[in-house]
Amino acid sequence: MAVGGVGTSLLLMAGVMVTVGLCRRVTRRRLRTRQRLCTFLLEMFSTFQICACTNELSLLGNVEPKPHTALTLTYGFTVLHGLTLPGSTCNPCGTLQPMWSGGTSVRMGGLKIAAQFLAAVLARVVMHFIWSLEMAEPHSGALSQGCSNPMQTTEMQAFCIELLFSVVFQLTVLRVERINPKYKVHLIAFLITMLVYAGGNLTGAIFNPALAFSLHANCFYDRFPSYSLVYWIAPSLGTMLVAFIWEGILPRLSSDSRF
């Protein structure tokens, strides 16, 4: 793949991030008094950025040297997302956890999840339109791929991988919550990069239901029961397990250890 094609993709992703940043700033200024609408739009814009950029990154997986370039880009853009999207979860699983613990109401949590899936669909539509213009070499033939089938193992193994990765990710997010944000984004980015390295060739290592739908909507259409089990139910169960352990088991263990 030509360097110019990679450069065009990077500029495209930078443009997405700048546009989303402007939209978030305008939303905060103009809709301060309308909390629900403001929350909905902020979550939608943030999730759109992650889904759009990841859609574009998925086209750069074969850039040499492999897999170093793809992993470096994954780490770099994850750091940028963390720095530019403070306060947003961009992941239905990340919204389920505070709903379980009572930190977020069911209505507000449902609003955020709706915004995340709407953003996932919008990102897919926008990126497919951009790809149809074939402005860069990676875009050529991108629309003719159909279901790119990220599941390169058995359904049960894929289910276990996505569940495990979701548990590891959500536990880490909770564990580093009080760390300085400047360091936290690098820790989260490093973890995501390592998970992608470990399981990216088996399931894509997505552990984000909205992102999975944005990346592989055609696969959900073709094999909905299988893909919903692996990419929606597995990470959601992982998040519920983490919430149960974090809110139920660990406090009991810590209280028992005092006696």
Side-chain angles (χ1 to χ4, degrees), residues 191-249:
L191 173 64
I192 291 176
T193 304
M194 290 300 98
L195 293 177
V196 170
Y197 177 73
N201 62 324
L202 297 175
T203 66
I206 303 174
F207 47 91
N208 181 333
L211 178 59
F213 185 70
S214 183
L215 291 173
H216 306 292
N218 290 334
C219 297
F220 282 90
Y221 299 150
D222 296 340
R223 299 170 55 190
F224 180 79
S226 175
Y227 275 76
S228 61
L229 177 68
V230 172
Y231 295 105
W232 288 353
I233 297 177
S236 299
L237 284 177
T239 300
M240 293 299 184
L241 179 61
V242 168
F244 176 72
I245 294 173
W246 192 264
E247 299 292 337
I249 296 179

Side-chain angles (χ1 to χ4, degrees), residues 121-183:
V121 174
L122 289 175
R124 182 174 179 82
V125 171
V126 170
M127 295 310 295
H128 277 214
F129 171 74
I130 293 175
W131 293 348
S132 68
L133 302 178
E134 297 188 354
M135 297 185 298
E137 181 184 345
H139 300 168
S140 301
L143 298 179
S144 61
Q145 293 180 356
C147 173
S148 56
N149 194 17
M151 201 188 304
Q152 300 297 317
T153 183
T154 65
E155 184 177 306
M156 182 54 63
Q157 287 178 339
F159 176 88
C160 293
I161 290 171
E162 287 294 312
L163 186 148
L164 175 62
F165 284 6
S166 180
V167 169
V168 172
F169 178 73
Q170 296 299 334
L171 274 176
T172 303
V173 170
L174 290 172
R175 189 68 182 86
V176 303
E177 189 173 354
R178 297 181 180 179
I179 294 179
N180 188 311
K182 293 181 180 180
Y183 305 118

Side-chain angles (χ1 to χ4, degrees), residues 56 71 152 204:
E56 186 68 20
L71 292 174
Q152 300 297 317

